[in-house]
């Protein structure tokens, strides 16, 4: 049996200890979960394995013999492929061009161009259910949604025919059916003795796919466990510690005000990606957007935020018609958006954490300034960082130095002082750890307690069940179904998304 064993892995970034003498033993044929809160060192360890980060110290052994991995090419040579947390695709190239790009210098790079093309087509055919029939090899990646892009990323790693595969939040924005497809392929890989490292903040994915798991916290190994012999609550405790574990998994509470007039309505709203959408949002309610991802959920949120201008229909706020053709107007009207792709829209990566928290958007900046003096900005930012347990070195460090989940918390934190009436969230807990998820959920509850209406898109059915008072199911830009209260169950969500009457299938066993 082949093994890839990492010991004594240490890495510091200035004053931040990302990894401290960490170890991981990956066996061929297993899926090994790598768990831990945001900023615990998972990606750092993965990047050491794949040659993207040079550690201060590490020993790596392949089948008992030491190997050196100084750069990505070294990892390729040893048959190690990885899917990183942040997407690596080139948006203006096609699906096929992106796949070819990934194979340079990799195992599949040794295939003849004809064989390689054939292999690409085989892989795309197999992944088609996760991409949809309209995605062709010559489709531009810029036209794909985040979940579809992740499916392509997975295909790119698969094409390298690896012996060891690292999946670092490779499923974070995938919908359940895409996850199931990827899991099927991963199981075929492990049957062929490939060893897989799997990182996901969705616990049910880890429990479904992995046999063992190694838990990191603050760059240190906490434990390595056989998942068969570990209860869910033990695992959560290992990950976040006793204190936070108490707060995870609380029951649904509604703050919907019965008989209230709608704070926001749309009537036959049309815009790019949506048509004839009519909905009402009431003070204090949490409305989820369900359905397969990429059915217009993000377009709808962007449209209400004025970033995807309406081409038809009406929007009212507090009963009066409004024109939301620019984000500035939406912000003035009291609408806040937490975008899905924090890289593009949510954060100014090179700016400091402080600036990001105090800046709602360039458009909203002047507005916020009227509420907050400069000195107050800093103390507000400090409070937000504390309230959401954002792990930072200093408020003045760039956002790009934060771990993925901590970046997402900054995006959400920056809206908190703005007193919105309606909060739009686009897949808000993507890549966020269980402890932080609980914190984000309690923020949503605190907002609704103050009468704020929340409309959120989620690729995670469990999140819809836990948070939403109602779920509007979208299909091809329309709202095709509505589930209320007790009706919001996993099987009802799957059935509504796929537009079938019922679906007895659970997550793959
Ligand atoms: N390039 C960098 N510069 C400075 N600090 C960094 C850099 N990369 C990572 N860090 C820090 O190292 C620590 C570990 O980060 P890492 O990305 O490994 O966490 P993670 O476990 O993958 O978290 P997440 O679940 O949020 O993805 C964090 O505190 C992070 O801020
Ligand atoms: Mg990470």
């Amino acid at each position: 049996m082949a093994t890839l064993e990492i010991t004594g892995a240490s890495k510091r970034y200035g004053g931040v200890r990302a990894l401290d003498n960490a170890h991981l033993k990956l066996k061929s044929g297993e899926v090994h979960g790598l768990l831990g809160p945001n900023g615990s060192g998972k990606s750092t360890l993965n990047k050491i394995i794949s040659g993207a980060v040079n550690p201060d110290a590490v020993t790596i052994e392949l089948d008992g013999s030491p190997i050196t991995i100084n750069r990505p090419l070294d990892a390729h040579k040893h048959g190690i492929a990885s899917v990183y947390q942040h997407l690596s695709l080139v948006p203006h190239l096609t699906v096929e061009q992106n796949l070819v790009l990934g194979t340079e210098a990799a195992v599949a790079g040794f295939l003849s161009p004809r064989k390689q093309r054939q292999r690409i087509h085989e892989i795309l055919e197999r992944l088609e259910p996760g991409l949809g029939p309209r995605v062709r090899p010559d489709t531009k990646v810029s036209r794909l949604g985040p979940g579809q892009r992740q499916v392509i990323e997975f295909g790119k790693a698969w094409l390298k025919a690896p012996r060891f595969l690292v999946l670092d939040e490779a499923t974070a924005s995938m919908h359940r059916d895409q996850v199931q497809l990827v899991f099927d392929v991963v199981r075929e890989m492990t049957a062929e003795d490939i060893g897989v490292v799997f990182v996901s903040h969705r616990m049910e994915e880890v429990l479904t796919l992995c046999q063992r798991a190694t838990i990191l916290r603050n760059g240190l190994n906490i434990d390595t466990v056989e998942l068969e012999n570990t209860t869910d609550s033990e695992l959560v405790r290992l990950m976040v510690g006793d204190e936070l574990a108490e707060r995870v998994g609380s029951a649904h509470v509604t703050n919907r005000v019965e008989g209230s007039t709608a704070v926001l309505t749309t009537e036959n709203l049309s815009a790019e990606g949506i048509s004839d959408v009519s909905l009402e949002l009431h003070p204090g309610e949490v409305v989820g957007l369900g359905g397969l991802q990429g059915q217009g959920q993000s377009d709808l949120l962007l449209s209400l935020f004025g970033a995807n201008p309406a081409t038809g229909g009406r929007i009212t706020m507090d009963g009066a018609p409004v024109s939301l053709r620019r984000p500035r107007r939406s912000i003035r009207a009291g609408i806040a958006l937490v975008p899905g792709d924090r890289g593009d829209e949510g954060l100014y990566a090179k700016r400091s954490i402080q600036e990001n928290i105090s800046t709602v958007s360039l458009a909203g900046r002047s507005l916020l300034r009227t509420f907050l003096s400069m000195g107050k900005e800093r103390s507000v930012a400090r409070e937000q960082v504390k309230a959401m347990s954002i792990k930072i070195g200093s408020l003045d460090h760039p956002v790009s130095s934060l771990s993925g989940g901590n970046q997402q918390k900054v995006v959400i934190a920056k809206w908190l002082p703005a007193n919105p009436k309606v909060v739009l969230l686009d897949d808000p807990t993507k890549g966020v750890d269980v402890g932080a998820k609980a914190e984000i959920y309690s923020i949503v509850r605190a907002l609704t307690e103050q009468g704020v209406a929340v409309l959120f898109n989620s690729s995670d059915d469990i999140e819809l069940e836990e948070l939403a008072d109602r779920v509007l199911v979208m299909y091809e830009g329309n709202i095709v179904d509505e589930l209320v209260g007790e009706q919001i169950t996993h099987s009802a969500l799957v059935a509504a998304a796929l537009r079938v009457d019922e679906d007895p299938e659970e997550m793959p066993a």
Side-chain angles (χ1 to χ4, degrees):
M1 191 191 354
T3 56
L4 182 67
E5 182 162 16
I6 294 94
T7 46
S10 295
K11 176 74 183 175
R12 294 187 80 92
Y13 289 102
V16 177
R17 182 184 64 181
L19 273 184
D20 187 2
N21 204 17
H23 53 89
L24 174 74
K25 186 171 183 173
L26 176 63
K27 301 177 195 164
S28 64
E30 78 165 338
V31 186
H32 195 119
L34 186 57
L35 308 182
N38 294 132
S40 55
K42 304 178 298 294
S43 294
T44 305
L45 185 58
N46 288 334
K47 285 176 188 164
I48 292 172
I49 299 172
S50 50
V53 157
N54 285 318
D56 303 330
V58 74
T59 305
I60 306 179
E61 285 172 294
L62 185 59
D63 302 332
S65 311
I67 58 169
T68 346
I69 299 179
N70 289 325
R71 48 201 182 125
L73 188 60
D74 299 334
H76 286 316
K77 282 192 190 136
H78 292 293
I80 301 166
S82 10
V83 177
Y84 293 117
Q85 184 166 4
H86 296 288
L87 296 172
S88 70
L89 302 177
V90 186
H92 64 267
L93 296 183
T94 67
V95 166
E96 179 163 2
Q97 285 166 334
N98 267 286
L99 286 172
V100 173
L101 262 187
T103 63
E104 278 164 9
V107 184
F110 300 131
L111 297 176
S112 70
R114 200 179 58 83
K115 283 242 173 72
Q116 179 177 294
R117 224 187 136 83
Q118 191 185 332
R119 183 73 189 126
I120 286 175
H121 284 254
E122 279 166 18
I123 284 178
L124 285 178
E125 201 167 306
R126 180 70 201 279
L127 295 178
E128 201 222 82
L131 293 168
R134 268 173 287 172
V135 177
R136 319 270 332 144
D138 61 358
T139 304
K140 284 246 169 75
V141 162
S142 56
R143 294 190 42 214
L144 306 183
Q148 289 169 312
R149 290 188 197 199
Q150 283 196 316
V151 172
I152 301 288
E153 292 275 357
F154 174 76
K156 215 171 110 176
W158 188 14
L159 184 63
K160 293 174 186 167
R163 288 178 67 195
F164 296 99
L165 175 64
V166 175
L167 299 176
D168 193 340
E169 297 196 41
T171 54
S173 27
M174 286 186 197
H175 192 263
R176 196 174 283 265
D177 56 322
Q178 293 169 322
V179 174
Q180 179 158 344
L181 175 69
V182 166
F183 280 14
D184 287 345
V185 176
V186 167
R187 290 201 183 92
E188 285 164 25
M189 288 176 161
T190 53
E192 287 170 9
D193 254 5
I194 293 165
V196 180
V197 177
F198 183 74
V199 179
S200 170
H201 288 295
R202 294 174 180 162
M203 292 305 287
E204 87 280 10
E205 289 184 0
V206 173
L207 296 170
T208 307
L209 189 66
C210 303
Q211 293 83 51
R212 295 197 299 154
T214 290
I215 298 102
L216 297 177
R217 225 192 291 161
N218 286 322
L220 297 163
N221 279 78
I222 300 297
D223 207 348
T224 294
V225 295
E226 301 282 339
L227 287 171
E228 219 177 38
N229 309 325
T230 314
T231 65
D232 297 9
S233 58
E234 270 167 12
L235 206 55
V236 170
R237 232 165 258 282
L238 287 170
M239 282 178 61
V240 298
D242 292 341
E243 198 187 316
L244 253 179
E246 302 296 327
R247 290 166 56 185
V248 173
S250 52
H252 178 82
V253 260
T254 180
N255 289 309
R256 189 187 161 141
V257 186
E258 287 307 326
S260 58
T261 42
V263 55
L264 181 144
T265 70
T266 74
E267 220 175 279
N268 301 107
L269 183 69
S270 295
E272 197 182 320
I274 54 168
S275 60
D276 282 331
V277 171
S278 300
L279 58 81
E280 288 189 358
L281 293 180
H282 289 261
E285 83 171 335
V286 182
V287 178
L289 293 175
L292 301 174
Q293 285 300 292
Q295 300 298 312
Q297 295 95 335
S298 300
D299 299 311
L300 173 58
L301 295 177
L302 286 173
S303 181
L304 294 175
F305 190 62
N308 178 20
T311 53
R314 268 161 45 96
I315 303 176
T316 70
M317 277 199 71
D318 295 323
V322 284
S323 157
L324 302 176
R325 299 191 58 81
R326 287 172 204 282
R328 191 197 306 260
R329 290 200 192 163
S330 297
I331 292 168
R332 288 236 170 90
I335 299 177
L337 171 75
V338 177
D341 192 340
R342 56 184 170 250
D344 279 2
E345 302 158 63
L347 290 175
Y348 306 106
K350 288 186 190 137
R351 304 255 194 105
S352 73
I353 297 161
Q354 140 101 57
E355 274 182 290
N356 268 283
I357 292 179
S358 335
T359 308
V360 164
S361 77
L362 288 177
R365 190 169 176 80
S366 55
L367 191 76
L368 250 199
R369 276 276 161 81
T370 58
F371 297 122
L372 300 172
S373 69
M374 289 291 265
K376 193 147 179 258
E377 265 185 26
R378 200 165 173 84
S379 65
V380 167
R382 198 171 284 127
E383 274 167 36
Q384 301 307 340
V385 165
K386 192 156 165 264
M388 298 196 60
S389 319
I390 304 176
K391 196 180 175 226
I392 65 167
S394 149
L395 275 177
D396 299 318
H397 287 169
V399 157
S400 56
S401 72
L402 295 179
S403 77
N406 281 303
Q407 291 188 18
Q408 183 63 7
K409 287 202 254 177
V410 171
V411 181
I412 295 178
K414 70 185 202 173
W415 282 105
L416 296 186
N419 290 324
K421 285 184 194 165
V422 174
V423 171
L424 312 170
L425 302 162
D426 198 352
D427 223 356
T429 63
K430 177 170 79 184
V432 163
D433 69 48
V434 277
K437 247 180 224 177
E439 283 162 25
I440 290 170
Y441 293 176
S442 65
I443 288 163
V444 168
R445 281 189 199 111
L447 287 169
T448 55
E449 272 165 23
Q450 294 160 25
V452 175
V454 174
L455 181 65
F456 80 105
N457 170 33
S458 181
S459 56
D460 186 346
D461 286 351
I462 290 177
E463 180 158 290
L464 290 170
E465 283 174 56
E466 198 160 324
L467 268 187
D469 300 316
R470 285 191 289 142
V471 174
L472 305 174
V473 179
M474 295 195 69
Y475 186 78
E476 294 192 339
N478 294 298
I479 293 170
V480 292
D481 212 341
E482 176 174 2
L483 302 170
V484 182
E486 308 269 285
Q487 291 176 326
I488 310 171
T489 62
H490 163 53
S491 54
L493 285 166
V494 173
L498 299 175
R499 312 205 69 200
V500 295
D501 286 338
E502 58 181 51
D503 185 297
E505 258 179 85
E506 287 296 315
M507 278 292 281

